Amino acid sequence: FYSYPTLRMSPFLKYKFGKRMEQWYAAMLHAQIPLAVVFEEELEAGLSPEIRALVFPAADYVSPETLRNVEKFRKRGGIVIAERNAFRMDEHSNPLAETKGILRLNADKAKELPGLLLSKGIERYGSIVPADSGNPIAMSDLQIIDRGDFKLVFAVAMGEITNRLAEIRLNFKDGGTFYLYDVLGKRILKNGSSEQWSAADLKRGFQWILPSQERVLFTLERKRPAGAGSVTQQEIVERFRKNRQGEKEKMERIRTHQAQMRKEHEEARIWRDVNGSKCVPLDLRKFVNMHFKDEVAGDKKGGWFDQGSNDFANMPLGKQNFAGVPFEIISPERNGGKGVVILYGTSRDYFPKEVTGIPVGRKAAKLYFLHTMGWESGEKVLTYRIHYADGSIADIPVTGKRDIGGWWGADPLPNAKIAVEVSNGEKDLVNMQCFRWMNPHPEKLIRSLDLISAQTEAVPAIAAVTLEMP
């Protein structure tokens, strides 16, 4: 169900309307569940009997008329599944009474939706399962456009990197028999010695090769397609085996590449020589100035980079281990709404240019800084200034794309590790990095630490600092 009021309110909500719709839609699509998008006008006019379930991925705001029509649908025996916050408000933001008789699902539990529908008797178009050994076929899609005596069947395995031998099973209830025609190969798949398939035969399934990320098209036709050749299922299996032999070298290259990528991914996210028992997080509670989440963009208060829902609201709080380093992430709710230090950048010139005098009072062999930046730059972004107890100073210049990275995505850096990776409402992935500084004077007591913006376009964010004692 496509909710107009929720779409109109989506700029003010903490999630992207389209993103949630797509996630729930994709979950059903890849589970081979027949579906259509239903609009308010269609619900008002009355849905056709073949529609057995209504799903509401994003419907925080709906009109009372919609709820009345949902109730009519439910009373006729229809299944209604809605996200947990669905039906909270009408189109004027007035609270709505609790809706009875519906199933609720958390927004981030889209993967559970197909199983819930199937448990309620909803049937698939069919299914695609491995006929060869191995894992389930990744990101498979099976659809049928049913025109009675002519049906178009579409199948694809978008997540596979090699050919897969699949068993395709189709669900429909037509009587009589069909020719199963491979459109691209211009051949009919034989059913044993026969060229014709009944609905029961197709429900039991047939074997076919799904090429890597290429579509397969069949038609089911009452009349034999003119000029069509034929192929047996045994011939398909033999062709698959030959293909697999030819793919051995390719697979070895892929496996080697994947292993290297896994190693690089892991190394970009861990400092391996950290002695956690000697690590002490610094107390930044009196020095942080912003929340991790932001309610209103551009109001010069609230959270993160003051961009509204484009924030870091999913930051893990409390004692955490990021990149192998123990950190203490301040909970804003327990600290007057403040949890992170955001410094001045010309893109946000109302943040402080420096935060000074953070007490340390310890010797340290290494310091670890959990930070990131908005408005990414390759220039110097900030300076960490170390004040030793003997009066000497050490400045630690922090340069963009080397020691600190942008918070959107998660690009590896030469001198820092990717430390925190979470989703946010605007981007699929946001991150903070862990930069390490090796103290050239571990024998000296450090009195205090300053955080100083370089006053460029980049806007630095510092969430935590941990020192590792000698």
Side-chain angles (χ1 to χ4, degrees):
F1 183 86
Y2 194 94
S3 170
Y4 294 140
T6 307
L7 173 64
R8 290 192 289 268
M9 290 298 293
S10 61
F12 309 101
L13 301 175
K14 283 294 182 182
Y15 68 85
K16 283 255 184 176
F17 175 80
K19 183 176 180 180
R20 189 180 296 174
M21 293 286 293
E22 290 166 6
Q23 287 173 336
W24 286 44
Y25 182 92
M28 290 185 283
L29 194 67
H30 292 309
Q32 291 82 53
I33 292 176
L35 73 161
V37 178
V38 174
F39 296 89
E40 292 179 10
E41 302 92 327
E42 296 168 280
L43 184 59
E44 175 69 28
L47 300 178
S48 66
E50 67 181 12
I51 294 181
R52 297 183 52 205
L54 267 178
V55 175
F56 293 82
D60 292 31
Y61 296 80
V62 293
S63 68
E65 290 78 12
T66 291
L67 286 187
R68 285 193 286 272
N69 291 323
V70 167
E71 182 60 16
K72 289 179 184 177
F73 175 80
R74 196 181 67 79
K75 285 185 176 179
R76 81 164 205 205
I79 301 159
V80 180
I81 302 175
E83 190 274 327
R84 290 202 179 276
N85 289 320
F87 316 147
R88 291 189 305 115
M89 303 280 184
D90 68 14
E91 67 269 50
H92 306 295
S93 297
N94 298 313
L96 291 168
E98 183 180 354
T99 307
K100 305 290 186 181
I102 65 172
L103 301 170
R104 296 281 185 174
L105 193 66
N106 285 342
D108 59 352
K109 301 295 184 182
K111 291 182 179 179
E112 297 179 8
L113 181 58
L116 186 56
L117 286 164
L118 294 171
S119 73
K120 297 298 178 182
I122 300 300
E123 294 184 349
R124 306 175 190 263
Y125 280 120
S127 61
I128 300 177
V129 297
D132 60 325
S133 59
N135 297 323
I137 296 173
M139 293 179 66
S140 61
D141 186 6
L142 175 66
Q143 297 187 56
I144 302 174
I145 298 175
D146 192 343
R147 296 294 182 266
D149 289 344
F150 183 93
K151 307 177 195 298
L152 179 67
V153 181
F154 168 91
V156 69
M158 286 303 297
E160 294 295 325
I161 58 176
T162 61
N163 291 329
R164 292 297 302 271
L165 185 63
E167 185 165 284
I168 301 174
R169 302 165 186 164
L170 304 178
N171 288 333
F172 60 90
K173 297 180 172 61
D174 300 54
T177 59
F178 291 87
Y179 292 94
L180 180 58
Y181 180 55
D182 166 26
V183 176
L184 302 179
K186 296 183 168 43
R187 55 194 175 171
I188 292 167
L189 178 62
K190 285 189 171 183
N191 179 17
S193 59
S194 171
E195 288 188 340
Q196 295 182 307
W197 297 75
S198 67
D201 294 331
L202 292 165
K203 190 167 186 176
R204 283 191 291 270
F206 59 92
Q207 293 189 347
W208 196 260
I209 300 170
L210 289 184
S212 169
Q213 302 176 13
E214 291 182 21
R215 80 276 188 259
V216 171
L217 293 173
F218 298 102
T219 58
L220 289 167
E221 304 180 40
R222 296 291 192 184
K223 295 181 179 179
R224 194 182 196 279
S230 62
V231 62
T232 67
Q233 292 189 71
Q234 185 58 39
E235 288 172 328
I236 294 296
V237 173
E238 288 300 321
R239 183 168 301 169
F240 170 74
R241 289 173 180 163
K242 289 180 181 178
N243 288 348
R244 268 298 169 90
Q245 283 295 116
E247 287 179 333
K248 279 187 175 180
E249 185 177 335
K250 174 186 174 182
M251 282 301 299
E252 187 58 37
R253 289 197 307 270
I254 289 172
R255 278 192 287 267
T256 301
H257 180 62
Q258 287 176 331
Q260 181 64 28
M261 288 181 65
R262 282 194 296 270
K263 183 178 178 181
E264 290 174 359
H265 182 275
E266 186 176 331
E267 290 303 316
R269 287 159 175 78
I270 188 77
W271 293 109
R272 294 199 175 276
D273 55 350
V274 179
N275 188 337
S277 65
K278 291 187 175 183
C279 287
V280 180
L282 296 187
D283 186 356
L284 302 183
R285 284 176 295 177
K286 294 180 180 178
F287 302 91
V288 291
N289 62 323
M290 294 294 278
H291 205 295
F292 287 106
K293 68 179 179 181
D294 190 40
E295 299 292 342
V296 181
D299 65 352
K300 300 185 180 182
K301 57 184 180 180
W304 202 237
F305 297 130
D306 197 15
Q307 294 178 293
S309 60
N310 188 25
D311 58 18
F312 219 103
N314 290 330
M315 180 71 179
L317 303 177
K319 292 181 179 180
Q320 301 289 337
N321 189 294
F322 298 133
V325 180
F327 284 106
E328 184 75 33
I329 310 302
I330 298 166
S331 170
E333 277 69 31
R334 298 180 180 180
N335 193 51
K338 313 296 183 185
V340 60
V341 176
I342 309 292
L343 294 179
Y344 175 101
T346 56
S347 305
R348 284 291 186 270
D349 59 7
Y350 44 86
F351 290 128
K353 294 180 180 179
E354 61 183 22
V355 172
T356 61
I358 299 171
V360 179
R362 291 178 182 272
K363 295 178 182 180
K366 306 165 190 173
L367 271 78
Y368 299 92
F369 300 90
L370 186 65
H371 62 203
T372 191
M373 63 175 162
W375 293 271
E376 187 173 1
S377 166
E379 304 175 272
K380 186 170 82 167
V381 173
L382 76 154
T383 297
Y384 294 121
R385 178 165 291 166
I386 303 294
H387 295 270
Y388 293 105
D390 65 2
S392 59
I393 290 173
D395 278 351
I396 309 168
V398 179
T399 301
K401 301 184 181 180
R402 186 190 71 184
D403 312 310
I404 188 171
W407 70 295
W408 283 359
D411 295 326
L413 298 169
N415 293 345
K417 303 295 185 180
I418 299 166
V420 183
E421 294 174 276
V422 296
S423 63
N424 102 336
E426 300 289 331
K427 300 290 288 184
D428 288 335
L429 191 69
V430 293
N431 87 105
M432 297 191 80
Q433 310 90 40
C434 177
F435 167 64
R436 179 168 75 177
W437 178 67
M438 307 295 287
N439 185 4
H441 300 290
E443 75 283 359
K444 290 186 179 183
L445 185 74
I446 300 174
R447 186 176 72 247
S448 64
L449 168 69
D450 300 338
L451 317 176
I452 306 168
S453 170
Q455 301 182 38
T456 63
E457 182 182 20
V459 179
I462 303 97
V465 181
T466 289
L467 61 84
E468 185 177 341
M469 295 182 295

